[in-house]
């Protein structure tokens, strides 16, 4: 059951709008909202982060380069509720023969552990970003149990006997041109070839033929390859992948040579570490919509926001049933989140990805509360999970 108590009023999404109060820190309600292109149905979870029984964290499919349904990720993790998360590498029709990785666009932190960093802005999937935002923008909750918006920028170094070279990414489906990125066991088994495709200005640009990989274990080079590899990466092993000038630097390394790989995500404007973080982009800051938000394209949306200085969390998922499928613009989402009481809000992936699931009274598994536009439920890169413990 959701948060250890019956989810009163949690009728199917097509039913009469209702509301439910969860005594231990989680509330669910659904209601209709007038939008520019017609009435939409909103599904909202409100989470009290001051409740000691409640926490939120990142839902994952078990690897960065993988996808799973929100309901499956929630059940596997023991979450009582969840929504979909970041935009992701959903298709590679622009690169015939290259496998889509399913990896998310932005940084990701789960259980305090860094999983990945952000791809270059030109390589992202999703609608155009509002002015002044970037793929490094995140929503997250700190170890202080307070939600916040921020940025997580990756910085790293590869130290070799011949000197140091910059490390420009971690477990990313796309690397900037002329750079080196690192891949760990968290990446999964999907081919790393996609990381060398596209350019710094065009996601559809071709794949580089100037690539090189170095496998490092126990501080030493244990293997090299002229092409990006695939298959699981053993725990304790790091694969360094370079393209163009980055590949040239890696070619200088030989088997048995000592190599030290260091990297971390640096948070802007905050000293409190994130417990979890997910990518997307901000739409509301300090109670004001960001300038330049799109007010033309309507779609089914997912968003997350917070109030009360980050102590109250708001999760919004629009319904994708035919009667409501026209959705909202991003500007309307920002306005609705403010109406709901959020001071800051963040857009997550939408369209066929928009999913809200929760565990109802007496159930052992979650059920989907909205009607996703994709049927069956779309597999996504990650999500935000709500957990309850007695």
């Amino acid at each position: 059951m959701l948060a250890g108590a019956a989810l009163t009023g949690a009728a199917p999404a097509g039913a009469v709008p209702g509301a439910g109060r969860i005594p231990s820190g989680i509330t669910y309600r659904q209601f209709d909202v007038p939008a520019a292109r017609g009435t939409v149905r909103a599904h909202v979870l409100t989470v009290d982060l001051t409740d000691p029984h409640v926490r939120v964290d990142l839902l994952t499919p078990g690897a960065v380069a993988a996808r799973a349904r929100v309901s499956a990720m929630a059940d596997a993790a023991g979450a009582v509720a969840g929504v979909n998360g970041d935009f992701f590498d959903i298709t590679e029709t622009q690169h015939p023969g290259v496998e889509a990785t399913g990896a998310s666009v932005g940084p990701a932190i789960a259980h305090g552990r860094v999983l990945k960093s952000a791809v270059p802005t030109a390589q992202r999937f999703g609608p155009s970003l509002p002015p002044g935002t970037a793929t490094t923008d995140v929503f997250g909750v700190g170890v202080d149990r307070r939600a916040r918006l921020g940025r997580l920028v990756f910085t790293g170094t590869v130290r070799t006997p011949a000197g140091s070279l910059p490390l420009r990414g971690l477990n990313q489906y796309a690397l900037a041109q002329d750079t080196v990125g690192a891949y760990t066991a968290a990446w999964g088994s999907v081919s790393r070839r996609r990381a060398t495709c596209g350019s710094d200005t065009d996601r559809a640009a071709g794949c580089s033929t100037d690539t090189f990989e170095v496998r490092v274990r126990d501080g030493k080079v244990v293997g090299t390859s002229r092409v990006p590899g695939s298959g699981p990466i053993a725990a304790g092993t790091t694969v360094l992948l370079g393209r163009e000038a980055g590949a040239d630097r890696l070619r200088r390394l030989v088997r048995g040579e000592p190599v030290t790989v260091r990297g971390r995500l640096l948070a802007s404007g905050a000293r409190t570490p994130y417990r979890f973080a997910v990518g997307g982009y901000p739409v509301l800051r300090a109670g004001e919509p960001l300038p330049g938000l799109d007010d033309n394209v309507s779609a089914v949306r997912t968003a997350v926001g917070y109030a009360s200085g980050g102590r109250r969390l708001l999760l919004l998922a629009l319904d994708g049933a035919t009667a409501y499928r026209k959705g909202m613009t991003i500007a309307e989402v920002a306005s609705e989140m403010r109406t709901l009481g959020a001071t800051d809000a963040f857009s997550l992936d939408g369209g066929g990805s928009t999913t809200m699931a929760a565990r109802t009274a007496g159930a052992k598994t979650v059920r989907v509360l909205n009607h996703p536009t994709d049927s069956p439920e779309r597999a996504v890169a990650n999500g935000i999970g709500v957990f309850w413990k007695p």
Side-chain angles (χ1 to χ4, degrees):
M1 56 186 174
L2 181 56
L7 180 56
T8 307
V16 176
R21 172 63 187 167
I22 309 306
S24 190
I26 307 170
T27 302
Y28 165 71
R29 58 184 175 130
Q30 58 173 301
F31 50 89
D32 291 348
V33 181
R37 297 189 63 191
T39 299
V40 300
R41 178 152 293 173
H43 300 258
V44 176
L45 283 167
T46 303
V47 182
D48 180 5
L49 296 178
T50 67
D51 190 307
H53 301 289
V54 177
R55 66 177 177 87
V56 294
D57 213 321
L58 193 71
L59 297 176
T60 74
V64 169
R67 295 165 59 187
R69 298 174 182 177
V70 170
S71 57
M73 290 191 289
D75 284 337
V80 296
V83 298
N84 63 289
D86 197 0
F87 302 86
F88 59 94
D89 175 19
I90 189 170
T91 179
E92 285 300 330
T93 55
Q94 297 168 321
H95 305 112
V98 175
E99 183 180 8
T101 67
S104 63
V105 168
I109 296 176
H111 322 304
R113 175 190 173 208
V114 174
L115 298 181
K116 68 177 298 290
S117 52
V119 303
T121 297
Q123 293 259 30
R124 68 181 294 274
F125 285 78
S128 298
L129 290 174
T133 64
T135 55
T136 52
D137 283 304
V138 295
F139 167 84
V141 173
V143 295
D144 58 356
R145 297 176 57 85
R146 295 177 66 170
R148 65 178 186 267
L149 304 185
R151 281 189 174 175
L152 287 170
V153 178
F154 185 80
T155 180
T157 303
V158 179
R159 295 180 181 175
T160 76
S164 297
L165 59 145
L167 186 64
R168 291 284 301 278
L170 173 66
N171 293 331
Q172 299 173 197
Y173 71 76
L175 294 173
Q177 291 174 267
D178 299 308
T179 66
V180 174
Y183 295 81
T184 67
W187 169 254
S189 60
V190 172
S191 170
R192 296 176 289 278
R193 186 183 177 198
R194 174 58 184 88
T196 62
C197 301
S199 72
D200 294 348
T201 58
D202 182 9
R203 190 183 75 201
C207 301
S208 176
T209 57
D210 185 6
T211 63
F212 200 77
E213 274 196 350
V214 172
R215 191 174 294 266
V216 178
R217 185 171 62 244
D218 297 328
K220 292 183 179 181
V221 175
V222 295
T224 62
S225 173
R226 290 177 294 177
V227 296
S230 62
I233 299 172
T237 297
T238 300
V239 174
L240 300 174
L241 172 60
R243 56 179 298 184
E244 297 93 36
D248 288 340
R249 297 291 298 272
L250 292 183
R251 287 191 188 98
R252 303 172 192 176
L253 300 177
V254 298
R255 187 184 292 267
E257 197 164 27
V259 171
T260 302
V261 182
R262 303 286 188 202
R264 58 178 177 157
L265 286 176
L266 293 179
S268 61
R271 295 182 179 179
T272 304
Y274 281 98
R275 168 71 181 177
F276 100 91
V278 66
Y281 58 90
V283 297
L284 185 71
R285 278 200 182 109
E288 296 296 328
L290 268 66
L293 291 181
D294 178 76
D295 202 18
N296 295 309
V297 179
S298 294
V300 177
R301 311 279 185 182
T302 308
V304 59
Y306 60 84
S308 304
R311 297 177 178 88
R312 181 161 58 94
L313 188 67
L314 296 161
L315 296 167
L316 167 73
L318 299 185
D319 206 281
T322 304
Y324 309 110
R325 192 167 293 182
K326 291 181 179 179
M328 287 180 163
T329 67
I330 287 297
E332 287 177 319
V333 169
S335 177
E336 181 60 23
M337 292 300 287
R338 182 167 61 176
T339 298
L340 291 171
T343 56
D344 298 77
F346 198 73
S347 177
L348 301 168
D349 193 9
S353 298
T354 291
T355 309
M356 178 178 285
R359 199 186 312 169
T360 53
K364 295 182 179 180
T365 60
V366 301
R367 68 179 178 90
V368 177
L369 300 179
N370 70 326
H371 288 106
T373 60
D374 273 19
S375 182
E377 182 188 345
R378 177 184 285 179
V380 296
N382 54 33
I384 298 175
V386 183
F387 298 81
W388 191 91
K389 185 177 181 180

